[in-house]
């Protein structure tokens, strides 16, 4: 029987290296490459034995370590870099480790603060979306993708027949729909995107309504937003006047 | 002074009546400075506004209600209000966070609130925190730049930070591929109790703390 064990202590090769440096109490500015490389490879071997997936990054780091180690074995090349300090092959790795260590410390500083919903609590936000929320800056602007996705849901939900053709339905125009949406917004400050489609039956009407929404966004007459990512899309009116005469039909 | 004026009053009461009245009014105002009814009322109003606001309330928004007050005066009143809460035995206080002010519970009672809410303390995993720290300090930053520091793939972690609304896309970098640029949100400031991004310890301070944590072998220099 096989057991799958996930060790997430070492999230990446840098984590493992820092661990080895600390464990051996060696100087990060003067890493003994032979010792650390040896232990690093041993650890990879252990992970293999434990049947752990070794992420590619670990292997890349292994080759980097071996490369540095071999570079250090080479005698300094004569003529090159006369008088000036030979650049330490470990310098880049060291910088990288130090930088990573800094952000680990920064993360530690963050988590030791008084955290909301852990150490302290604020008043729960009011559920009523109609007030206060609208001019808050926590709102998420709905993107075109959100709108298209909402439209897709509307069409799926309706389970429409392709079109009821032949009957001379009085056709609704984008312009009519714009007027109707604006009228609804005068009565209620906020509309739910889905609700615009509620009384509709045909695919044609749904498309016309959707085009009307897009047109109103373009004219900056409405604003579409979500209270949470991928949440329900809501519509509010903006103050600008809509030049109805300029609209095509 | 007081005696003098009293003497004067008795000698020539009619002439100096007005002046004396003015003086007593001034004295009264001085004596009552600590509990000036007008000022106390303003503090009460500000207290209401902070309480009724869903998001940390900014000085600007308080000013929209108390138009006659200068931002500096509002700030002073809020500071007094904060001090009032701090010095009296209360379970809640007002904190300055995310460019505004907000009521919150005191940390010593956290476990009891969790008990009431049947909630677990807000928790972020180590990789999430590290990534958040990198974004906070290097923003606006691309995913590739984050991965360069951490040495591992960060797509999942960045996604989860976005789901938590701690991080948001702030634009695109004008390089090949136009990758997204990530930065922290208002919610980030609120969750970590930061007034502004400038309230984070500087990267120099972090450097010192971090370097102190790194073992440096105590060897003789050769």
């Amino acid at each position: 029987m096989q057991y799958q064990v996930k060790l997430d202590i070492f999230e990446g090769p840098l984590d493992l290296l820092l661990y080895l440096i600390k464990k051996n109490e060696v100087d990060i500015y003067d890493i003994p490459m032979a010792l650390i490389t040896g232990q690093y490879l041993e650890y990879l071997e252990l992970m293999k034995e434990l049947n752990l997936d070794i992420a590619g990054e670990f292997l890349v780091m292994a080759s980097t370590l071996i490369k540095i180690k071999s570079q250090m074995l080479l005698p300094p090349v004569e003529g090159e870099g006369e008088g000036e300090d030979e650049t330490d092959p470990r310098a880049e790795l060291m910088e990288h480790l130090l930088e990573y260590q800094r952000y680990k410390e920064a993360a530690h500083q963050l988590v030791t603060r008084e955290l909301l919903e852990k150490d302290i609590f604020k008043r729960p936000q009011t559920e009523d979306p109609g007030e206060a929320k609208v001019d808050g800056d926590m709102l998420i602007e709905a993107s075109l993708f959100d709108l298209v996705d909402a439209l897709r849901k509307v069409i799926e939900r309706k389970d429409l027949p392709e079109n009821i053709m032949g009957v001379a339905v009085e056709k609704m125009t984008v312009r009519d729909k714009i007027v109707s949406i604006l009228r609804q917004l005068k009565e209620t400050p906020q509309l739910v995107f889905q609700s615009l489609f509620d009384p509709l039956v045909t695919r044609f009407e749904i498309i016309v309504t959707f085009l009307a929404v897009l047109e109103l966004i373009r004219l900056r007459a409405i604003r579409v937003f979500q209270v949470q990512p991928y949440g329900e899309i809501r519509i509010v009116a903006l103050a600008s006047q809509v030049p109805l005469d300029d609209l095509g039909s | 002074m007081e005696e003098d004026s009293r003497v004067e009053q008795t000698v020539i009461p009619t002439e100096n009546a007005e002046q004396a009245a003015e003086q007593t009014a001034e004295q009264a105002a001085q004596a009552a400075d600590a509990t000036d009814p007008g000022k106390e009322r303003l503090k009460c109003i500000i207290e209401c506004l902070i309480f009724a606001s869903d998001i940390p309330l900014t000085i600007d928004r308080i000013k929209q209600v108390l138009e006659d007050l200068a931002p500096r005066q509002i700030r002073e009143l809020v500071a007094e209000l904060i001090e009032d809460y701090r010095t009296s035995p209360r379970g809640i206080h007002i904190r300055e966070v995310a460019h505004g002010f907000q009521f919150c519970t005191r940390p010593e009672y956290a476990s009891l609130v969790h008990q009431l809410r049947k909630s677990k303390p807000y928790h972020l995993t180590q990789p999430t925190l590290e990534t958040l720290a990198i974004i906070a300090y290097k923003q606006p930053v691309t995913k590739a730049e984050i991965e360069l520091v951490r040495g591992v793939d960060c797509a999942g972690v960045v996604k989860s930070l976005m789901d938590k609304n701690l991080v948001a896309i702030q634009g695109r970098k004008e390089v090949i591929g136009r990758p997204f640029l990530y930065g922290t949100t208002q919610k980030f400031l609120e969750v970590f109790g930061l007034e502004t991004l400038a309230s984070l310890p500087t990267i120099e301070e972090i450097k010192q703390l971090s370097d102190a944590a790194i073992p440096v072998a105590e060897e003789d220099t050769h």
Side-chain angles (χ1 to χ4, degrees), chain B:
Chain B
M1 278 282 285
E2 267 190 355
E3 278 180 3
D4 281 358
S5 64
R6 222 175 276 155
V7 173
E8 275 178 29
Q9 269 179 46
T10 47
V11 176
I12 339 169
T14 45
E15 258 185 43
N16 279 345
E18 240 175 60
Q19 198 185 331
E22 245 172 55
Q23 270 184 6
T24 43
E26 222 170 81
Q27 279 161 14
Q30 271 170 15
D33 190 34
T35 50
D36 173 3
K39 190 178 184 182
E40 285 305 311
R41 187 166 170 274
L42 287 174
K43 273 160 74 177
C44 289
I45 294 171
I46 293 172
E47 192 178 14
C48 290
L49 298 180
I50 296 174
F51 178 79
S53 175
D54 261 347
I55 55 175
L57 190 66
T58 59
I59 299 277
D60 280 354
R61 293 203 51 211
I62 298 174
K63 193 170 160 46
Q64 284 170 16
V65 179
L66 298 171
E67 288 171 351
D68 297 337
L69 292 184
R72 186 183 49 81
Q73 286 172 301
I74 295 175
R75 182 162 275 283
E76 277 169 20
L77 290 167
V78 176
E80 275 187 35
L81 198 56
I82 290 176
E83 191 58 18
D84 290 351
Y85 268 92
R86 202 182 64 79
T87 50
S88 56
R90 301 265 170 204
I92 57 171
H93 61 166
I94 300 172
R95 64 172 186 155
E96 187 169 1
V97 70
H99 313 289
F101 300 92
Q102 180 180 61
F103 272 104
C104 67
T105 64
R106 291 206 174 175
E108 54 263 45
Y109 307 115
S111 61
L112 297 158
V113 182
H114 280 300
Q115 207 176 317
L116 170 80
R117 290 197 177 183
K118 300 186 169 62
S119 58
K120 287 219 177 76
Y122 191 81
H123 176 74
L124 296 170
T125 63
Q126 188 61 25
T128 315
L129 269 170
E130 283 174 18
T131 308
L132 185 58
I134 295 169
I135 294 174
Y137 279 94
K138 289 179 94 99
Q139 63 184 310
V141 63
T142 66
K143 210 179 281 175
E145 287 161 348
I146 302 166
E147 285 170 357
L148 200 64
V149 176
R150 294 195 61 233
V152 285
D153 179 84
C154 294
V157 187
V158 171
K159 169 96 176 31
S160 97
L161 282 169
M162 286 184 42
D163 289 347
K164 290 182 162 67
N165 200 16
L166 294 170
V167 160
I169 291 169
Q170 295 192 333
R172 284 174 181 276
K173 190 167 185 173
E174 293 304 329
V175 294
I176 294 166
R178 301 185 72 233
F180 286 128
L181 284 166
Y182 297 89
T184 53
T185 58
Q186 285 284 108
K187 172 101 185 284
F188 165 75
L189 296 177
E190 220 183 317
V191 167
F192 289 91
L194 297 158
E195 287 154 41
T196 66
L197 279 175
S199 328
L200 284 169
T202 64
I203 201 72
E204 277 306 314
E205 286 165 341
I206 294 290
K207 232 181 220 178
Q208 282 172 13
L209 286 167
S210 154
D211 291 357
I214 294 174
V216 177
E218 299 277 324
E219 273 181 64
D220 292 334
T221 46
H222 36 268

Side-chain angles (χ1 to χ4, degrees), chain A residues 211-237:
Chain A
L211 289 177
V213 170
L214 291 183
E215 183 68 10
L216 283 166
I217 295 171
R218 192 183 68 81
L219 295 168
R220 301 192 187 290
I222 59 169
R223 192 174 153 222
V224 289
F225 65 89
Q226 293 156 305
V227 178
Q228 63 197 54
Y230 312 112
E232 188 177 66
I233 294 176
R234 303 207 175 108
I235 298 170
V236 286

Side-chain angles (χ1 to χ4, degrees), chain A residues 57-89:
Chain A
E57 296 97 9
F58 280 97
L59 301 175
V60 173
M61 180 57 79
S63 67
T64 307
L65 290 175
I66 293 166
K67 181 172 156 245
I68 295 172
K69 191 178 140 194
S70 57
Q71 274 175 344
M72 292 181 71
L73 291 173
L74 294 173
V77 184
E78 292 281 332
E80 240 177 69
E82 291 159 7
E84 65 187 70
D85 288 330
E86 184 85 10
T87 47
D88 191 331

